[in-house]
Amino acid sequence: MRRLFARSLSARLLGLTIGFVMLAELLLFVPSIASFRQEGLEMRARSAGLVAEALMSQDAEASSREASQMLAEQFMLQTDAVFLAAFQDGRTILIVGDAPDAKVIATEDLRKSRRLPNFIGTSMDFFARGNGYLRVIAPSPVAGQDRLELLVPCAAIGADLRAYAGRILILSLLIAAFVGALIYFSMLRLIVRPIQRLAHDMTAFREAPERKQRSGPPTMRADEIGQLQREFHEVKQSLRSAFRQRERLASLGLSVTKINHDLRNVLSTALLMADRLSMNPDPKLAEMGERLTRTVERGVGLTEEVLTYSSAREPQPDLERLPLSRIVADVQMDMRTAFPRIWVSNRIARDVWVRADPEQLYRILSNLTRNAAQAMADRAKPRVEISADIVGETAIITIEDNGPGLPESVEDRLFLPFTRGQSEGSTGLGLSISKELAEGMGGSLELLDTGPDGTRFILGLPLAEPA
């Protein structure tokens, strides 16, 4: 039983409910039993007044004496009184019984009005078991009499109080059991059962987080339990989405590993042909060969970076001091070839030097400009502007376009893997890789704002020390 109450929330709830109801009954019991004693003494005083009025008006005939004797016996039987006397003009008139030899323990004057019952007298009478008497003083209904006094054994009053307490105890237990059952079943339905289901779902999710459990829609309860259930449902959805992304990344890494060797052979052949083309005497062909060489080398680097990302290893940047405008110019030239309709404006001053990895910086800027170009495919005058401001020891690079903006559904998870924007052909890895590359170089990449008039990203990089 002790183990049941220690482990079961419902058993604890039932025990606490019954305990609190009994505590409330106990707090009500003290004034209740004091009021019961007060009412008992007042009832005895009224009976004494009726007996005094009846006996004082009887004639001295034999039949009257017999009736008086019966009335006195009935009064003593009902009230447990052993003595009743009236006081008139300084004289004591004995009505019923004789004064006992035992001492009077306490006196209760009913002629004084009380706002509160006598709690001290009640406690004394409740535990009284000896031969003492309680002296009760009451007003007399007979004209000319000052008062009535009667003696009642304290043991008799204590017996009445204990009998009353027993009845109250039984009634309190019944009320506690009934109210406790109502509260228990209400709490069981409103609190315990939902928490048990939530605990079961948590256990099942912990044991097999990737397996989708059968569960209904999120609850519509507006209280704290409903909020907890909805939050847990959202957490499960988010974690399962993360598990799916992890599986896709693992599959992507395995696929890239398999094709990496063959792709290197193809790119090596293309790189060899580009090198020969760059050595052509014709300047135009030589320039095309150099650009083709850089493109193939970046393709090789792209394959390596995707493989590194899929294997959860951060690429190590090779930081060097380089002019920011030159990297932007390379991006500008490649964008003119890939997207002739897109106007890329390079507003970087020539004296802005940053400390970064040239290939990774090119990758970041290329990803951002290509995403903007793909989103502006239907624009009449698509434009991308790249500018920079110096803030302290950091170069704040702004990449701004006049495209349609990003959907609101992807703004909060824009830099998470496999999050697509406006482009349908994107894998959703570009921005997540770019953010990781920027942070690896000691910088940052953030979305500044987006809307129907365009989108702005800011790339922060540390400035290079003067040469």
Side-chain angles (χ1 to χ4, degrees):
M1 181 63 68
R2 182 177 180 181
R3 181 175 298 179
L4 175 64
F5 273 83
R7 300 184 59 182
S8 175
L9 179 62
S10 57
R12 289 183 181 182
L13 180 61
L14 179 60
L16 288 175
T17 302
I18 295 177
F20 287 145
V21 173
M22 290 298 296
L23 179 60
E25 293 287 346
L26 180 61
L27 295 177
L28 295 176
F29 170 75
V30 175
S32 174
I33 195 171
S35 298
F36 174 78
R37 173 181 178 273
Q38 184 73 16
E39 292 174 358
L41 295 180
E42 291 176 354
M43 181 273 295
R44 288 178 171 88
R46 289 192 297 270
S47 299
L50 294 175
V51 170
E53 189 176 15
L55 294 181
M56 295 297 291
S57 62
Q58 291 286 346
D59 295 332
E61 297 179 358
S63 60
S64 298
R65 287 196 298 271
E66 292 178 0
S68 299
Q69 184 67 24
M70 293 177 58
L71 183 60
E73 292 177 356
Q74 187 69 22
F75 165 73
M76 297 174 68
L77 180 64
Q78 291 180 351
T79 63
D80 298 317
V82 297
F83 174 79
L84 173 62
F87 290 83
Q88 183 176 1
D89 299 331
R91 294 182 301 109
T92 302
I93 304 174
L94 182 63
I95 301 177
V96 173
D98 296 321
D101 296 333
K103 65 178 181 178
V104 175
I105 296 178
T107 301
E108 190 77 25
D109 193 348
L110 300 182
R111 296 175 300 175
K112 301 178 182 179
S113 60
R114 283 181 173 271
R115 293 186 177 180
L116 295 176
N118 188 354
F119 296 106
I120 298 178
T122 302
S123 61
M124 294 176 60
D125 292 342
F126 185 84
F127 297 102
R129 297 180 183 274
N131 298 323
Y133 289 87
L134 175 66
R135 178 187 178 194
V136 181
I137 302 175
S140 175
V142 179
Q145 292 184 357
D146 298 330
R147 67 184 185 277
L148 295 176
E149 291 188 7
L150 65 155
L151 297 180
V152 182
C154 294
I157 299 178
D160 290 344
L161 294 179
R162 289 189 290 272
Y164 175 78
R167 295 193 298 271
I168 291 295
L169 176 62
I170 296 175
L171 182 61
S172 299
L173 290 175
L174 294 176
I175 294 176
F178 179 72
V179 175
L182 290 180
I183 297 177
Y184 169 74
F185 287 112
S186 300
M187 295 296 100
L188 188 67
R189 182 176 181 274
L190 294 176
I191 298 178
V192 177
R193 290 285 173 80
I195 291 180
Q196 288 177 344
R197 287 194 295 267
L198 187 60
H200 178 269
D201 291 343
M202 287 182 175
T203 303
F205 181 74
R206 177 179 58 83
E207 294 175 351
E210 70 283 353
R211 185 174 67 239
K212 188 173 183 180
Q213 305 291 334
R214 290 186 177 181
S215 59
T219 180
M220 300 304 294
R221 291 178 57 166
D223 55 8
E224 290 79 1
I225 292 182
Q227 181 181 0
L228 181 62
Q229 292 174 337
R230 288 189 294 272
E231 292 295 333
F232 178 63
H233 179 77
E234 293 296 328
V235 168
K236 288 195 299 183
Q237 296 297 105
S238 300
L239 289 178
R240 288 193 178 115
S241 177
F243 290 146
R244 288 194 297 268
Q245 291 181 4
R246 185 183 63 181
E247 293 175 357
R248 294 170 68 182
L249 285 174
S251 301
L252 175 62
L254 181 61
S255 301
V256 171
T257 303
K258 290 180 179 179
I259 68 174
N260 187 48
H261 179 70
D262 295 335
L263 184 58
R264 277 179 173 273
N265 293 334
V266 174
L267 292 178
S268 297
T269 303
L271 184 60
L272 180 61
M273 296 178 63
D275 287 338
R276 291 182 179 180
L277 185 60
S278 63
M279 293 184 292
N280 194 285
D282 189 346
K284 293 184 178 180
L285 292 179
E287 182 182 358
M288 292 178 60
E290 292 177 357
R291 292 182 58 188
L292 181 58
T293 299
R294 291 197 299 269
T295 303
V296 173
E297 289 176 347
R298 285 166 182 153
V300 175
L302 173 63
T303 304
E304 293 291 344
E305 288 179 4
V306 172
L307 179 61
T308 301
Y309 186 85
S310 62
S311 61
R313 296 194 307 269
E314 296 183 358
Q316 295 298 324
D318 185 11
L319 302 179
E320 61 181 73
R321 184 175 183 270
L322 53 91
L324 181 59
S325 60
R326 181 173 63 82
I327 304 298
V328 176
D330 291 344
V331 174
Q332 188 180 30
M333 292 178 62
D334 291 342
M335 287 293 295
R336 287 176 184 174
T337 303
F339 300 92
R341 292 184 60 253
I342 306 298
W343 174 257
V344 180
S345 176
N346 183 358
R347 296 183 176 274
I348 306 295
R350 295 182 179 275
D351 59 347
V352 179
W353 291 68
V354 295
R355 182 172 177 79
D357 185 311
E359 294 300 326
Q360 293 185 6
L361 179 55
Y362 173 87
R363 178 74 185 283
I364 295 173
L365 296 175
S366 178
N367 278 336
L368 294 174
T369 52
R370 285 178 179 272
N371 288 345
Q374 292 171 356
M376 296 187 297
D378 299 332
R379 287 282 180 172
K381 295 181 180 180
R383 176 183 55 82
V384 178
E385 182 177 305
I386 304 177
S387 59
D389 295 317
I390 306 301
V391 179
E393 300 296 328
T394 305
I396 305 298
I397 307 166
T398 303
I399 301 92
E400 181 179 2
D401 63 60
N402 61 344
L406 296 170
E408 294 182 0
S409 58
V410 302
E411 288 187 28
D412 295 336
R413 49 188 180 89
L414 187 61
F415 294 101
L416 296 178
F418 305 107
T419 300
R420 296 183 178 90
Q422 297 284 4
S423 177
E424 294 294 334
S426 173
T427 61
L429 285 173
L431 288 177
S432 60
I433 294 177
S434 298
K435 186 176 181 63
E436 183 177 349
L437 295 178
E439 293 176 351
M441 293 186 292
S444 61
L445 177 62
E446 298 177 3
L447 172 66
L448 183 60
D449 54 49
T450 183
D453 297 330
T455 301
R456 285 192 298 174
F457 285 90
I458 53 173
L459 170 65
L461 292 175
L463 289 174
E465 298 179 358

